[in-house]
Amino acid sequence: MTSIGSNLDKVLVTERDVWEDGPPHELFRELRAHCPVHWTSRITEYPEEAGFWSVTTADDVHAVSRDWQTYSSERGGVTAATAGFPLELLRAMFIGMDPPKHDRIKALFQAGFTPKRIAAHEPEIRAIVTDVLDRLEGRDECDLVTDVAQPVVSRVIGSFMGIPPEDDAVWANLMNSTLGAGDPDLNPAGIPGVLEKDIPEIFERCRVMIADRREHPTDDLTSVLVHAEIDGQKLEEHEIVMGFFLLVAAGNDSTKATYCSAMQALMQHPDQRRILLDDPSLVPSAVEESLRMFPAFAHFRRTATCDTELNGTQIKEGDKVVMWYVSSDRDETRYSEPDRFDVRRNPEHQAFGAGGRHFCLGTALARLELVILLEETLKRYPEMQIAGAMKRVESPFLNQLKTLPVRLSP
Ligand code: HEM
C-alpha cells in the first residue's frame, strides 16, 4: 500500500492497491488524526475523472450529509468515480436527485418502508430464509455469499417489486455486474460491458414489466412507479426503469454484504458468537455492530454547489466531496476501541447515511432481514467454520465479500 505518515498529502485514496485487503483502516485512522478533509488529486484507473475530497470524521460526514444545498447529489453523481454509469441515468434515480423532486419521489415509497409496515413482512421473510437454508440439507460445505445471502436478498426485494422467483438470479447478476463494474469476477466484460450489454438488458426487461403493470396494476412497487404522479405528471419511462433499478440494486446488494461480513466476524471471534448463542436477544445489537464495522457502502459522494469551507478546508464549487462511512464509523471520538467487534455494543452509526435527505429508505427492511438471517443461521449451524479463502469485491465503493466458503458443521 502507498506509504502513509509524512506522505499523507500525496496519498491517492481510491487506488486499487490501497483497497486490496479491504478498506484501508490504518490510512483512514491517520487521515482522521492529521488531515480529516483530504485531497486526492486523481483516480489513476479513470484518468478523465477529477480528484476528490475525502471526508473522514463522523461530525464532518454528518455536516455534509445534512447540507444538501451546498453538497448536491444531482450535480455530479454519487460515487467517487462515475465513469461506469451515464450521469443522465443516475439523475433519473432519486438517489441522484436533489429536493424538491427527490423528496416527492421518495415519499411515494416511505409509507411502505416504516418499521411497522416492514414488521408485517416478518413471516414471509423468515419463510424465505428457512427455505434457502433447507436447500443446504445434506451438504457439508457451501458458499455463504452465493448459496445463502444472494438468494435470500434477491427473493425478498423481488417479492416487493413483483419479480417472478425464476428471474431472481438474472436480476442479481445484472445488479452485481453494474454495481461491481470494476471487479473482474463480477463484471468480466468491464465498463464497456455494462454500457453495451447490462444497461440495455435492464431497460428491455423493465419495459416488459412496465407494459404489464400499465395493463394490469398490482400492489407491488413496480406498479407504484408506473402509476406515480409527481406534480400532476407521470414519470418518464427511463425514470421508472431507474427507480426500479435503484430499489432492486439497493435491496440486492447491501444486506447481502452486511450478513456475510457479520458471519465472517462471528466465525473469526468465537467468543462473540458464544455470547449470541447464549443470549439470542442480542442479535439486533450484533446487527448494529456489524453495520458499523462493515458498512456495505464504503462511501457516497456529493458535489459542492458553491465555494465553501469544511472543518477549516476550502472547497471549491464543483469539487467532489466523498463521505467515507468506513472511516466515520470507526471514529475514535465516537467509539472506544473502534476496531473491536463487540456484539453487545449496539452502536449508532452512519452505515445507512448520516442523517441527511438521502438516508437509506430500506433501513427497517435491512435490519429485519439481517436479524432473521443471523438468528436462523446460528440456530441451524452454531459451529459453522470458515473453510477456504474468502475473496473481497475489488472496489472502493462496495465493501463486501464475493465468496465466503464455510463448513456447515464440524
Ligand atoms: C445493510 C443494508 C443497507 C445498507 C448498509 C444501506 C445503505 C445505504 C446508504 C449508505 C444510502 C445512501 C445514503 C446517502 O447517500 O446519504 C442508502 C440509500 C438508499 N437505500 Fe439503502 N442500504 C441498505 C439496504 C437497503 C435496502 C434493503 C433497500 C430496499 C429498498 C434500500 C434502499 C435504499 C434507497 C432507495 C436509497 C436511496 C435513498 C435516497 O436517495 O433518498 N437500502 N442506503
Side-chain angles (χ1 to χ4, degrees):
M1 204 191 79
T2 323
S3 67
I4 47 180
S6 58
N7 279 332
L8 222 44
D9 57 342
K10 297 200 186 67
V11 167
L12 304 173
V13 173
T14 51
E15 298 301 289
R16 200 174 277 265
D17 62 331
V18 173
W19 290 76
E20 226 161 44
D21 304 320
H25 291 299
E26 183 61 15
L27 168 61
F28 281 125
R29 197 175 57 73
E30 295 228 10
L31 290 177
R32 287 193 300 274
H34 303 296
C35 186
V37 182
H38 169 271
W39 178 249
T40 286
S41 59
R42 64 173 194 278
I43 306 174
T44 307
E45 238 169 272
Y46 303 105
E48 71 286 6
E49 291 260 355
F52 58 88
W53 294 104
S54 284
V55 183
T56 59
T57 68
D59 285 348
D60 289 347
V61 167
H62 183 66
V64 171
S65 177
R66 307 257 311 165
D67 184 359
W68 59 268
Q69 286 100 334
T70 309
Y71 300 103
S72 162
S73 296
E74 190 161 315
R75 189 160 156 160
V78 295
T79 47
T82 48
F85 208 84
L87 191 54
E88 176 206 352
L89 293 184
L90 198 89
R91 286 180 174 149
M93 302 188 241
F94 60 90
I95 201 166
M97 294 177 191
D98 292 332
K101 192 165 184 190
H102 164 271
D103 297 4
R104 291 185 189 139
I105 300 192
K106 192 174 191 177
L108 295 171
F109 300 100
Q110 255 158 343
F113 279 89
T114 59
K116 196 164 164 219
R117 290 283 291 277
I118 290 298
H121 294 273
E122 168 161 5
E124 68 199 72
I125 295 177
R126 202 172 289 277
I128 290 170
V129 172
T130 52
D131 179 53
V132 167
L133 291 174
D134 283 348
R135 292 184 222 156
L136 301 177
E137 280 302 309
R139 290 178 63 175
D140 296 328
E141 297 194 352
C142 79
D143 185 332
L144 274 194
V145 180
T146 52
D147 291 324
V148 178
Q150 183 71 73
V152 166
V153 299
S154 297
R155 183 75 312 258
V156 171
I157 194 66
S159 66
F160 276 67
M161 303 307 297
I163 294 171
E166 60 273 19
D167 288 353
D168 284 353
V170 178
W171 281 110
N173 287 337
L174 282 167
M175 296 307 131
N176 289 338
S177 59
T178 41
L179 265 69
D183 183 281
D185 293 326
L186 296 183
N187 181 35
I191 302 280
V194 171
L195 298 176
E196 288 155 25
K197 189 187 138 291
D198 295 337
I199 293 177
E201 185 174 344
I202 290 167
F203 268 81
E204 188 43 46
R205 287 180 170 276
C206 275
R207 224 185 307 278
V208 178
M209 293 184 72
I210 291 167
D212 185 62
R213 298 307 187 280
R214 284 207 174 108
E215 287 268 306
H216 314 285
T218 59
D219 56 5
D220 59 38
L221 298 185
T222 308
S223 260
V224 172
L225 281 163
V226 169
H227 298 284
E229 288 204 5
I230 305 291
D231 299 333
Q233 282 196 312
K234 296 248 190 250
L235 297 179
E236 292 184 30
E237 174 116 344
H238 77 287
E239 291 176 320
I240 300 176
V241 173
M242 294 321 292
F244 175 92
F245 175 83
L246 172 62
L247 293 168
V248 178
N252 247 295
D253 204 74
S254 32
T255 317
K256 173 180 74 181
T258 310
Y259 165 69
C260 294
S261 299
M263 285 306 301
Q264 176 191 9
L266 289 171
M267 290 186 280
Q268 287 173 334
H269 299 93
D271 58 320
Q272 296 297 308
R273 176 164 65 183
R274 188 72 258 158
I275 293 171
L276 283 192
L277 290 170
D278 290 345
D279 182 1
S281 75
L282 286 170
V283 168
S285 164
V287 164
E288 298 310 312
E289 176 70 340
S290 303
L291 287 159
R292 178 189 76 82
M293 283 203 76
F294 321 111
F297 298 112
H299 75 264
F300 267 104
R301 168 215 157 173
R302 304 290 188 260
T303 305
T305 58
C306 56
D307 291 356
T308 186
E309 191 188 304
L310 180 65
N311 198 356
T313 302
Q314 294 300 318
I315 292 182
K316 289 215 162 49
E317 180 188 351
D319 282 354
K320 296 174 174 178
V321 178
V322 173
M323 299 174 286
W324 287 106
Y325 304 129
V326 279
S327 174
S328 64
D329 278 342
R330 296 191 187 206
D331 184 330
E332 35 292 283
T333 65
R334 297 235 172 150
Y335 309 103
S336 66
E337 297 183 78
D339 296 323
R340 191 166 58 83
F341 179 64
D342 175 358
V343 295
R344 290 198 175 103
R345 196 191 299 253
N346 198 20
E348 290 190 14
H349 53 75
Q350 298 180 336
F352 290 124
R357 286 292 226 278
H358 290 274
F359 196 75
C360 176
L361 175 76
T363 52
L365 177 59
R367 285 184 162 122
L368 181 60
E369 282 185 78
L370 288 166
V371 166
I372 295 175
L373 271 162
L374 288 187
E375 281 174 358
E376 295 296 331
T377 312
L378 289 172
K379 209 184 319 174
R380 283 202 201 194
Y381 302 112
E383 293 177 82
M384 185 185 281
Q385 300 289 339
I386 295 172
M390 301 169 277
K391 275 170 92 178
R392 305 188 54 83
V393 175
E394 290 179 30
S395 167
F397 174 58
L398 298 183
N399 180 23
Q400 62 176 273
L401 294 164
K402 58 186 169 188
T403 153
L404 176 51
V406 297
R407 191 164 311 109
L408 294 168
S409 305

